[in-house]
Amino acid sequence: MNWKKILGFLIVIAAVVFIGFSVFGPKEKAKVSTVSTTEVKEKTVVETLSTTGKLEPIETQDAYGQGVVSEVNVAVGDTVEKDATLVSYLDGTKLKANFAGTITALNVKKDEADLSAQTAKPSVSLADLSNLKVAISLSKSDASIVKKDQAVTLRTGNETFKGRVSAIDPVATTTTGATGSNTALGGTIVFDTPPAGLFAGFEIDADITTNTADNALTIPVEALLYDKENKPFVYTIKKDQAKKVMIETGIQSDNLVQINKGLTKGEKVILTPDDSIKNGTRVTAK
């Protein structure tokens, strides 16, 4: 055998060894992603609508008079008792307080004609500032889920109060401003206990309980995902692999989602899966 044949023989052997190593040799291990998980649990889910309302007196009085004013017995900020005389006229008529409260506006002066009927400004306004309510405005979508007697948590600063929806207007109204028109449905929230230290005219945050599901199957919102068709799904773990599971959801709170279909109690779901997690991805739980 000459050297050319020997060289050719060695080249053939090298090629066979290379192909064999490529096919049968050790391979790089598939990457394993480390994930956080939690179990599907039975919990109570409370769905709320967060909005902002305005503090207003529950009881107000706008009194209108006519004729020449003979006596003005009050000033803005005065507190008066029920049936107290507020304004007197030369013809003997008087404007009296319908309830105990605080004078909030005064538009007449002694010895001058009362023009409240012409100007549409009340001669005197009275409000019970010790007993407040909250006026809210609901959008079309919000109006469909807010009902009378629903529980409400009211918050301002570090203070929290309990209340309920006491009334919903029968008809929406449209207001026009500098940025355009806005149509909303008005509603009223009352406090369970009259609050102290609050002032009419200020805003207050309101969380209205719109739905509650007791003993519901739940997952944290961090586990919930949506596909391109906006259908909800989660990733569970089966045989050390991520498994995509389509689900049917119910109501949702700030941190929990009710599961109506697709999962069972005790199953593990992946929390906050990133883009590297796909159906079939090898995973290990923390």
Side-chain angles (χ1 to χ4, degrees):
M1 181 179 294
N2 59 35
W3 67 269
K4 289 184 177 181
K5 289 183 178 180
I6 294 173
L7 180 60
F9 181 73
L10 293 174
I11 291 174
V12 171
I13 291 176
V16 171
V17 171
F18 176 77
I19 293 172
F21 182 84
S22 299
V23 176
F24 302 105
K27 294 183 174 58
E28 182 181 355
K29 291 185 179 180
K31 183 179 178 181
V32 178
S33 297
T34 302
V35 295
S36 297
T37 64
T38 190
E39 290 185 355
V40 179
K41 298 178 181 179
E42 285 187 354
K43 291 186 176 182
T44 297
V45 185
V46 179
E47 188 173 60
T48 60
L49 170 68
S50 296
T51 187
T52 300
K54 185 179 180 180
L55 290 162
E56 297 180 350
I58 287 181
E59 197 167 15
T60 61
Q61 177 187 355
D62 288 333
Y64 293 81
Q66 60 181 359
V68 177
V69 177
S70 62
E71 197 71 41
V72 177
N73 300 317
V74 293
V76 173
D78 285 353
T79 56
V80 298
E81 297 299 320
K82 181 180 179 181
D83 296 326
T85 299
L86 308 177
V87 179
S88 301
Y89 296 85
L90 287 178
D91 63 3
T93 60
K94 297 178 179 181
L95 298 180
K96 293 191 174 186
N98 292 340
F99 52 86
T102 302
I103 303 300
T104 57
L106 184 65
N107 297 304
V108 293
K109 293 181 179 180
K110 183 179 180 180
D111 298 329
E112 293 185 1
D114 186 337
L115 301 176
S116 59
Q118 291 85 348
T119 61
K121 291 182 178 180
S123 308
V124 59
S125 295
L126 177 69
D128 180 3
L129 301 181
S130 65
N131 200 3
L132 302 178
K133 63 181 179 180
V134 179
I136 56 174
S137 294
L138 303 170
S139 66
K140 184 178 181 180
S141 59
D142 291 344
S144 64
I145 60 175
V146 176
K147 309 295 180 184
K148 185 178 178 181
D149 293 327
Q150 287 174 336
V152 183
T153 298
L154 297 148
R155 292 174 287 102
T156 178
N158 296 323
E159 294 186 282
T160 301
F161 308 91
K162 295 298 182 181
R164 63 178 177 83
V165 178
S166 64
I168 299 292
D169 291 349
V171 179
T173 57
T174 300
T175 56
T176 302
T179 58
S181 61
N182 177 60
T183 301
L185 188 68
T188 303
I189 297 169
V190 294
F191 292 86
D192 290 347
T193 302
L198 300 184
F199 297 93
F202 283 116
E203 291 187 336
I204 189 168
D205 296 324
D207 294 328
I208 304 171
T209 299
T210 56
N211 212 338
T212 301
D214 295 318
N215 300 318
L217 287 180
T218 66
I219 60 170
V221 293
E222 295 88 347
L224 182 63
L225 297 170
Y226 290 90
D227 63 16
K228 294 180 179 179
E229 297 179 352
N230 203 35
K231 294 181 178 180
F233 71 94
V234 296
Y235 284 114
T236 62
I237 298 179
K238 300 291 184 182
K239 297 181 179 179
D240 297 326
Q241 291 184 338
K243 180 182 178 182
K244 181 178 179 180
V245 178
M246 305 304 296
I247 59 175
E248 181 182 297
T249 61
I251 67 173
Q252 182 173 328
S253 69
D254 289 339
N255 53 6
L256 292 176
V257 180
Q258 180 186 14
I259 302 301
N260 291 336
K261 187 182 297 184
L263 296 172
T264 58
K265 182 180 178 180
E267 278 192 274
K268 287 188 176 181
V269 293
I270 297 177
L271 292 171
T272 319
D274 58 33
D275 292 339
S276 68
I277 305 299
K278 307 292 182 184
N279 193 42
T281 300
R282 293 188 62 191
V283 294
T284 181
K286 289 182 181 179

